[in-house]
Amino acid sequence: MIRAKTLSGEELDWAQVLALLHAAPASSAEQKTSDSQKPVPQNVWVDVQAPTPEEWQSIRAAFPLHPLAMEDAQEEGHWSRFESYPAHDFITYRTLSKPEECDEFTERISLFLFQPSAAHEVGSILSISRRGTLYLGDVWKMVGRESVNTPAEVAYELLEHGTDTFGLYANALETRIEGMQEQVFKNEPRDLITTVFEYKHDLAKVRRLCSDAREALLLLVRHGHAEGGDAILYRDALSNLDRAVLRLEGEREALTSLLDMSLGFQGQRMNEVIRTLTVVSTIFLPLTFLAGVWGMNFKFMPELQWPYGYALAWGSFVLVGLIMALYFKRRGWW
């Protein structure tokens, strides 16, 4: 699917985009020899989703795309990266597709940023993705506003909305960590260690994803064609991504603390169980001794012939047991 819009907000069809070139699409032979000098549609945003081979050929005819950038845009599973080519800047930006579910599934958008060919023009932007992104539709509706009417401003909004997915992930993970902390303090019978390890495993992937996105955006700021206000926009997006990286790092430490807390509480509960068993065993120790004494098979044992010997034995057992139980209770061991 190919759709286009002028940077003033007017919807265009593909024929109108090609008309902006004031020429028919170049032949394949011309494409190989003059890509960097090819005229580019100006003041337009072209968004391409799941392009067919025919659509790829049409896009290749309209824009001077570098072959390596095209290869990266077509490759599945490619992580975030940036490269500056003579005809355009290229950044592929991978973010989260289900951040509020604390899911590690990702989505990606590739941006081609073309510089203006004349003083009265602002350049153009080409975005390519497989199925769109979580935020692409929102940014598409924003085009034409005073703050979103240049390729750099469109790219900034796309990068900024992509960065927000990391913030949403951090918020959702923080909420879940707080819930697990309450479970630990309430001593609810649930194995949190497995859950914490799963979150740590997913978070490691998200942190790598965010770090790669930051590296790509940093290269765009340092080596892109953007100047002046456009460069300031990209630096602002980079600053927000830096904060996202720090938040994810904080959540990693929170998960580590939660794991230590859970292990500590489990150890404490185990100590309490062992202490209880020890107290019970200690109470029965003198009772076992008395039972052993009266269970010896000597011929002359006065208690054996006494009518109240059995009652004496039981009374001794109960009395000794109560005394020891009360003693342990006063010491706080029971």
Side-chain angles (χ1 to χ4, degrees):
M1 180 187 77
I2 301 178
R3 59 178 179 172
K5 177 183 280 191
T6 66
L7 296 178
S8 59
E10 179 186 356
E11 298 280 350
L12 300 174
D13 58 32
W14 187 238
Q16 291 174 309
V17 174
L18 293 178
L20 296 175
L21 292 170
H22 304 291
S27 65
S28 299
E30 291 171 337
Q31 291 174 21
K32 295 181 180 178
T33 57
S34 59
D35 272 353
S36 61
Q37 291 79 30
K38 183 187 300 183
V40 179
Q42 294 292 307
N43 308 332
V44 65
W45 176 14
V46 177
D47 177 54
V48 185
Q49 299 179 24
T52 63
E54 294 75 16
E55 288 174 335
W56 268 117
Q57 184 176 0
S58 181
I59 296 166
R60 187 75 171 84
F63 291 93
L65 307 180
H66 194 279
L68 293 179
M70 279 192 62
E71 181 179 343
D72 288 343
Q74 291 176 290
E75 181 181 350
E76 295 185 13
H78 206 294
W79 290 74
S80 300
R81 70 177 296 269
F82 168 82
E83 193 63 57
S84 182
Y85 298 100
H88 59 78
D89 287 336
F90 169 76
I91 183 170
T92 183
Y93 203 63
R94 183 171 290 278
T95 54
L96 300 171
S97 60
K98 300 177 181 179
E100 295 178 339
E101 300 176 13
C102 286
D103 203 309
E104 72 206 51
F105 286 110
T106 62
E107 58 188 8
R108 186 190 63 174
I109 189 169
S110 298
L111 304 179
F112 297 80
L113 301 168
F114 299 92
Q115 298 303 305
S117 56
H120 63 282
E121 295 172 338
V122 295
S124 59
I125 179 172
L126 169 66
S127 60
I128 299 176
S129 58
R130 292 188 62 191
R131 292 178 296 272
T133 63
L134 182 67
Y135 48 85
L136 183 61
D138 294 335
V139 179
W140 183 263
K141 296 175 184 177
M142 296 170 61
V143 174
R145 300 180 185 177
E146 183 178 355
S147 60
V148 191
N149 55 19
T150 68
E153 290 171 349
V154 173
Y156 166 77
E157 291 295 339
L158 290 171
L159 296 172
E160 184 72 2
H161 280 70
T163 300
D164 288 344
T165 64
F166 297 112
L168 292 174
Y169 178 91
N171 290 337
L173 183 58
E174 182 178 359
T175 300
R176 299 193 181 193
I177 290 175
E178 291 175 354
M180 289 187 288
Q181 287 173 340
E182 291 181 3
Q183 292 175 6
V184 171
F185 282 111
K186 291 179 180 178
N187 197 18
E188 295 184 1
R190 179 182 174 186
D191 183 15
L192 292 178
I193 296 179
T194 301
T195 303
V196 172
F197 270 113
E198 290 176 353
Y199 281 130
K200 285 177 67 71
H201 180 265
D202 293 343
L203 181 58
K205 295 182 180 179
V206 174
R207 289 176 59 242
R208 177 191 169 195
L209 182 71
C210 190
S211 297
D212 286 348
R214 179 189 179 280
E215 183 67 23
L217 192 50
L218 178 62
L219 292 175
L220 172 62
V221 170
R222 290 182 176 178
H223 304 295
H225 291 101
E227 298 178 351
D230 294 346
I232 293 176
L233 286 176
Y234 294 149
R235 285 199 295 270
D236 181 71
L238 178 61
S239 176
N240 293 334
L241 194 53
D242 285 337
R243 286 194 289 272
V245 171
L246 291 176
R247 283 204 63 189
L248 293 175
E249 181 64 24
E251 298 307 322
R252 185 183 71 86
E253 295 177 357
L255 282 173
T256 301
S257 298
L258 177 60
L259 181 61
D260 294 339
M261 183 188 305
S262 179
L263 292 174
F265 271 87
Q266 283 193 3
Q268 180 181 354
R269 289 193 293 269
M270 182 62 69
N271 290 337
E272 292 175 354
V273 171
I274 293 176
R275 185 175 60 185
T276 301
L277 294 176
T278 302
V279 168
V280 172
S281 300
T282 305
I283 291 175
F284 275 91
L285 185 62
L287 306 184
T288 305
F289 170 76
L290 292 175
V293 169
W294 284 320
M296 293 186 293
N297 296 320
F298 290 107
K299 182 176 181 180
F300 298 103
M301 292 185 68
E303 298 90 340
L304 297 180
Q305 304 299 325
W306 189 36
Y308 301 103
Y310 184 72
L312 173 65
W314 271 109
S316 301
F317 294 155
V318 173
L319 180 62
V320 172
L322 286 176
I323 291 174
M324 295 191 68
L326 290 174
Y327 175 77
F328 291 141
K329 184 70 174 180
R330 289 177 63 98
R331 297 294 298 269
W333 297 349
W334 185 264

